[in-house]
Amino acid sequence: MDLNQLTITLAHDGLLKKEFSSRELTQAYLAAIKRLDPSIHAFITVMEEGALRQADAADAVFASGEATELTGIPLAIKDNILIDGIAATSGSKVLENYVATYDATVISRLKKSGAVFLGKANQDEFAMGSSTENSAYEKTANPWDPSRVPGGSSGGSAAAVAAGMCLGALGSDTGGSIRQPAAFCGVVGVKPTYGRVSRYGLSALASSLDQIGPLAKTVMDAARVLQAISGQDGRDPTTQAVGDMNLSKVTQDIRGIKIGVPKEYFIEGMDPDIKKAIDQAMEKFQELGAEIQEVQLPLTKYALAVYYLTVTSEVSANLARYDGIRYGLSAHDTAKNLAEVYSRSREQGLGAETKRRIILGTYTLSAGYYDQYYVKAQKVRQMIMQEFDRVFRQVDCLLTPTTPSVAFSFGEKFSDPLMMYLSDIYTVPANIGGICGISIPCGFTRGLPIGMQIMGKSFDEETILRVAYAYEQSTDWHTRQPKVR
Ligand code: GLN
């Protein structure tokens, strides 16, 4: 049996039946990392010893019969999510020598479930970007075509899943950073509703938008990881007490489900093959008994502007903590005074995109411009939320492409930030609205995967997972694998 071909669901069955141990499973993934990561560069840190220790503990749990669905399952964790005692750079040089001193809530939850952590995955610096090219450490290659980006900012997580270097991964999504790399790498990615998953121990990008979520090979695998990390947490007051999802609902058929298709998402300039794939998906959904309905979301055209005003403003506030005093890189030995410690540490420690956003956000929050930019953006944000509320009274979920293009080449958009920002055009609205979204594979063009997005009402992950599951069961896109494996 090739352990690197499994899904979480199949691996769990194998572990239960004692066809292999968690140690064997974990060794197989560590071996895949050794073999493939020198060319993919999905990991910043590999936690070999710790992973094997966790695997042995998981095997002991299996022996005593109290295993969960994630016991002994090897996962990759985006580097901005803290694991006690493990380096957490967030893709930034400023945190090069930072070692986490506590577990993020999602990590303590996964530890309780018995999951195994293989390592920390590469990302754009502080999760700013759509290609992982903003990492201070390495460029992650797309397993489908190593001359192309894996998407971002959770590019390491998506590439690790696609290349078979882990069974699942955690990413974070502020404006698409789970769904967009999932689409580019041909895997499943879920952005949970704002407030379902605790952000405690996630290094903040934009606190009003950030959510941690799963990437995996199948919808059910992603659902299982999501279930394990979800729940109210006293350490993140924005989490809500909504209870567990009922995963048995995910496998129900979708007859009578109303799927809205917003015409604003089919913009000029989008890849025609993506449009074709979505059209075919609509037909498939109709065959499965769902009803397709065209809906209108006219404020979509403001989403990107609202998003980038909000993100840059929150970035300028959140990243003020990297001042060379409390965390990481410090220029104190060469600086002449305190102001120089701040400015030199930030000058040396932060990358170009991060600096760009701090400068823009400082501007949008400054006296005189605050009302004009930040406050205005928040007003439009409210209107976009109301627009989603309205449309979700007509339909159960929304179907759109995840991205306007498939994975692009290294350097193609790197020197043009606006072009890069445009790759998020279909994913940022869900973050602005605080609603949930999933990206699943729905076709290929020129050998590269295409992703489709299903968005749902706040805390109605069950519906988007169910619709995605029904589609996945009737297609075989998710079974295709890149040659690199
Ligand atoms: N690409 C978007 C950005 O650069 C989204 C980032 C994210 O979701 N973390 O902000």
Side-chain angles (χ1 to χ4, degrees):
M1 184 186 311
D2 182 350
L3 299 181
N4 299 88
Q5 303 284 331
L6 297 175
T7 59
I8 294 178
T9 310
L10 290 172
H12 177 63
D13 287 348
L15 287 167
L16 270 182
K17 293 187 192 133
K18 309 224 180 315
E19 286 166 8
F20 45 82
S21 64
S22 172
R23 174 170 265 267
E24 284 160 345
L25 188 65
T26 302
Q27 277 169 335
Y29 282 90
L30 289 168
I33 294 172
K34 280 216 177 95
R35 196 170 72 244
L36 300 173
D37 211 45
S39 52
I40 302 281
H41 303 287
F43 288 90
I44 295 182
T45 304
V46 178
M47 297 161 58
E48 181 163 357
E49 246 173 71
L52 290 171
R53 221 179 309 119
Q54 282 180 304
D56 289 340
D59 285 327
V61 170
F62 270 104
S64 68
E66 276 157 44
T68 76
E69 282 161 341
L70 294 184
T71 303
I73 299 293
L75 303 176
I77 306 294
K78 189 174 180 176
D79 208 29
N80 59 359
I81 300 169
L82 305 189
I83 305 179
D84 192 9
I86 304 295
T89 70
S90 278
S92 180
K93 211 172 147 197
V94 93
L95 291 180
E96 191 161 15
N97 299 314
Y98 175 70
V99 174
T101 52
Y102 63 96
D103 282 330
T105 297
V106 292
I107 294 301
S108 19
R109 283 178 167 272
L110 287 177
K111 281 185 176 172
K112 253 188 232 138
S113 318
V116 171
F117 305 133
L118 294 167
K120 304 295 298 290
N122 195 25
Q123 59 167 97
D124 286 299
E125 182 172 31
F126 293 114
M128 292 178 229
S130 311
S131 67
T132 314
E133 289 168 291
N134 293 332
S135 165
Y137 297 95
E138 54 192 359
K139 295 210 188 317
T140 301
N142 189 312
W144 292 91
D145 175 353
S147 72
R148 290 173 189 269
V149 303
S153 63
S154 314
S157 300
V161 174
M165 291 191 280
C166 59
L167 277 167
L170 290 188
S172 66
D173 191 314
T174 306
S177 281
I178 290 174
R179 290 160 290 157
Q180 187 257 17
F184 278 14
C185 291
V187 300
V188 175
V190 184
K191 197 279 293 181
T193 305
Y194 189 79
R196 181 179 284 283
V197 179
S198 170
R199 293 174 294 110
Y200 179 74
L202 167 70
S203 73
L205 170 56
S207 312
S208 76
L209 300 159
D210 297 341
Q211 273 295 286
I212 297 172
L215 294 104
K217 286 184 218 158
T218 67
V219 172
M220 194 44 88
D221 281 5
R224 287 181 167 166
V225 177
L226 176 59
Q227 183 81 298
I229 61 173
S230 296
Q232 194 174 28
D233 176 18
R235 290 177 160 139
D236 174 359
T238 63
T239 51
Q240 293 190 35
V242 284
D244 278 351
M245 297 179 293
N246 179 355
L247 292 190
S248 67
K249 282 205 184 149
V250 172
T251 55
Q252 284 172 7
D253 71 56
I254 57 165
R255 256 169 288 168
I257 289 249
K258 289 201 185 100
I259 302 177
V261 180
K263 65 171 197 307
E264 291 81 1
Y265 280 69
F266 295 84
I267 52 168
E268 215 179 295
M270 77 182 279
D271 186 327
D273 289 344
I274 295 184
K275 164 99 174 51
K276 222 184 286 159
I278 301 295
D279 285 343
Q280 279 162 5
M282 282 193 238
E283 280 167 32
K284 181 56 82 188
F285 281 123
Q286 276 167 329
E287 268 169 43
L288 293 170
E291 223 177 89
I292 300 281
Q293 202 174 306
E294 188 178 298
V295 294
Q296 264 130 43
L297 289 167
L299 296 177
T300 302
K301 60 174 178 292
Y302 301 117
L304 216 49
V306 167
Y307 173 78
Y308 275 98
L309 283 169
T310 307
V311 166
T312 51
S313 302
E314 294 189 27
V315 159
S316 80
N318 274 333
L319 269 60
R321 74 189 70 178
Y322 304 109
D323 57 3
I325 306 286
R326 280 176 293 177
Y327 301 96
L329 187 139
S330 176
H332 65 272
D333 41 1
T334 60
K336 287 198 274 310
N337 51 46
L338 184 63
E340 254 189 46
V341 174
Y342 294 153
S343 60
R344 286 202 187 172
S345 305
R346 286 163 78 79
E347 144 68 20
Q348 291 164 19
L350 302 174
E353 179 63 20
T354 303
K355 286 177 185 152
R356 180 180 300 128
R357 293 200 196 189
I358 291 172
I359 292 168
L360 284 170
T362 306
Y363 179 74
T364 56
L365 291 183
S366 60
Y369 295 105
Y370 177 77
D371 286 326
Q372 216 173 318
Y373 292 111
Y374 182 74
V375 173
K376 182 94 155 258
Q378 299 321 301
K379 286 181 180 159
V380 182
R381 182 174 184 181
Q382 285 301 322
M383 290 166 71
I384 292 176
M385 287 175 154
Q386 287 160 8
E387 194 168 83
F388 274 126
D389 282 348
R390 176 182 53 70
V391 89
F392 283 127
R393 284 197 287 271
Q394 296 165 35
V395 294
D396 300 303
C397 61
L398 296 166
L399 168 65
T400 75
T402 308
T403 55
S405 77
V406 290
F408 44 87
S409 300
F410 284 104
E412 198 178 318
K413 298 182 198 254
F414 191 65
S415 53
D416 185 344
L418 275 179
M419 282 279 286
M420 190 70 90
Y421 297 171
L422 274 171
S423 21
D424 308 324
I425 193 153
Y426 300 144
T427 46
V428 297
N431 302 75
I432 293 172
I435 61 174
C436 57
I438 184 170
S439 178
I440 59 168
C442 72
F444 283 83
T445 175
R446 307 179 291 278
L448 298 167
I450 299 175
M452 84 173 157
Q453 174 176 236
I454 302 158
M455 289 184 277
K457 288 183 207 129
S458 287
F459 299 107
D460 192 16
E461 276 82 350
E462 281 165 8
T463 297
I464 60 169
L465 291 165
R466 175 176 163 197
V467 171
Y469 181 83
Y471 178 84
E472 185 186 81
Q473 292 304 299
S474 61
T475 53
D476 66 0
W477 308 118
H478 63 287
T479 63
R480 301 212 191 168
Q481 288 174 1
K483 277 195 223 68
V484 66
R485 302 175 65 172

